[in-house]
Amino acid sequence: MSAVEDDQPLIVALRAAFAAHADAVQAVPMQAYMKSALPFYGIAAPLRRRLTAEAVKAHPAANTAALVRTMRALWRGARFREERYAAVELPRLGRVHPKLVNLDLLPVVHEMITSGAWWDLVEDISGNLLARLLERHPAQVKPLLRAWAKGGDLWLRRAAMLCQRSLDTAQVDAVLLYDTILPSIGKGQFANEFFIRKGIGWALRERSYAAPEEVRAFCQEYAEQLSPLTVREALKVIHKRSIE
């Protein structure tokens, strides 16, 4: 039996579980909301996560290479969008998979961000898997994020600026945060892209919980280069606290 065939039981089990809980009525509006080319099974997120966790528990990957193969096979062969959600979730489920997360996952992370190319997938990948890789391998991941932030892919830029939002305050590298934001402001290639402007605001808003004056000063310094949407998002928490 080949290595790829060894990984198939998890995918087979997952698809069977999803098919058994499919809801055609819910699937239509879910696909419309996400503007997805892939159809949906129509499974609510909590149930989908539970079914995915159960499949992982029954068929855990033996090692990191097997985990990567399964993620890639599930992602590329996805027939429904929930299968792509599951591919993103696999590394954080079960007792074994979180221990297998290392730099070998970076190629599949890159592939999922660039080919997924939509906010729901990129937010999950950046806030969970990419954040864990940054946490465990900062020397290797920080230069990569800085490169993504200057590159030609909108979603890699967004992932780079948002990946620290789930980290504890003490773990956040503020210099890295601003290094991933600055290339996308002003008159740059993506300055007018909604998801970039929104992403910058979100990243700054998360930072404002721990460093409100820092964020306020940044918004003032770059006021002419930041969109009203970005500033509104960035200062939302600061303004709310000021009136409480």
Side-chain angles (χ1 to χ4, degrees):
M1 183 177 289
S2 72
V4 174
E5 288 172 339
D6 284 340
D7 300 333
Q8 291 305 309
L10 191 154
I11 297 177
V12 171
L14 192 61
R15 284 177 173 160
F18 283 177
H21 292 82
D23 185 335
V25 174
Q26 294 300 319
V28 173
M30 290 170 75
Q31 182 178 5
Y33 176 72
M34 282 300 170
K35 302 178 181 178
S36 174
L38 283 173
F40 275 74
Y41 283 105
I43 304 171
L47 175 58
R48 185 197 75 234
R49 296 188 186 106
R50 178 171 67 79
L51 295 173
T52 306
E54 289 172 353
V56 168
K57 183 178 180 180
H59 305 284
N63 49 48
T64 299
L67 176 60
V68 169
R69 285 195 302 271
T70 303
M71 291 170 64
R72 186 172 282 124
L74 186 57
W75 181 271
R76 291 179 178 177
R79 305 164 187 171
F80 296 86
R81 197 171 186 87
E82 285 94 338
E83 294 173 16
R84 287 201 156 181
Y85 293 150
V88 174
E89 293 167 0
L90 291 184
R92 63 179 184 262
L93 297 176
R95 298 178 61 185
V96 175
H97 286 190
K99 300 175 184 178
L100 302 179
V101 173
N102 61 40
L103 293 173
D104 290 342
L105 272 69
L106 276 176
V108 74
V109 167
H110 184 280
E111 177 180 341
M112 291 192 300
I113 291 172
T114 55
S115 63
W118 200 238
W119 64 267
D120 57 334
L121 295 164
V122 174
E123 285 177 13
D124 194 349
I125 295 165
S126 64
N128 290 291
L129 181 51
L130 188 56
R132 297 293 79 71
L133 288 169
L134 173 61
E135 187 178 27
R136 295 180 184 184
H137 306 281
Q140 293 82 10
V141 177
K142 287 182 181 183
L144 181 66
L145 296 178
R146 287 186 167 96
W148 286 3
K150 297 175 182 178
D153 189 278
L154 180 159
W155 297 102
L156 290 175
R157 286 191 178 219
R158 183 174 163 95
M161 65 180 65
L162 287 175
C163 76
Q164 293 194 80
R165 71 182 191 277
S166 63
L167 300 181
D168 293 337
T169 300
Q171 297 175 297
V172 173
D173 182 336
V175 174
L176 174 65
L177 174 65
Y178 294 110
D179 283 350
T180 58
I181 288 174
L182 286 169
S184 293
I185 69 173
K187 298 181 180 180
Q189 178 182 2
F190 296 107
N192 293 322
E193 290 285 349
F194 169 80
F195 286 107
I196 290 296
R197 292 184 286 122
K198 185 82 169 182
I200 295 171
W202 186 8
L204 291 171
R205 187 179 76 228
E206 290 301 311
R207 179 60 179 163
S208 76
Y209 284 101
E213 294 308 314
E214 174 188 294
V215 170
R216 193 194 301 273
F218 180 86
C219 290
Q220 291 174 346
E221 180 177 355
Y222 294 97
E224 295 183 1
Q225 300 177 62
L226 296 173
S227 73
L229 170 63
T230 296
V231 174
R232 189 164 60 248
E233 287 292 322
L235 300 180
K236 186 176 293 184
V237 171
I238 295 174
H239 288 164
K240 181 179 179 181
R241 287 178 171 177
S242 68
I243 61 176
E244 287 179 348

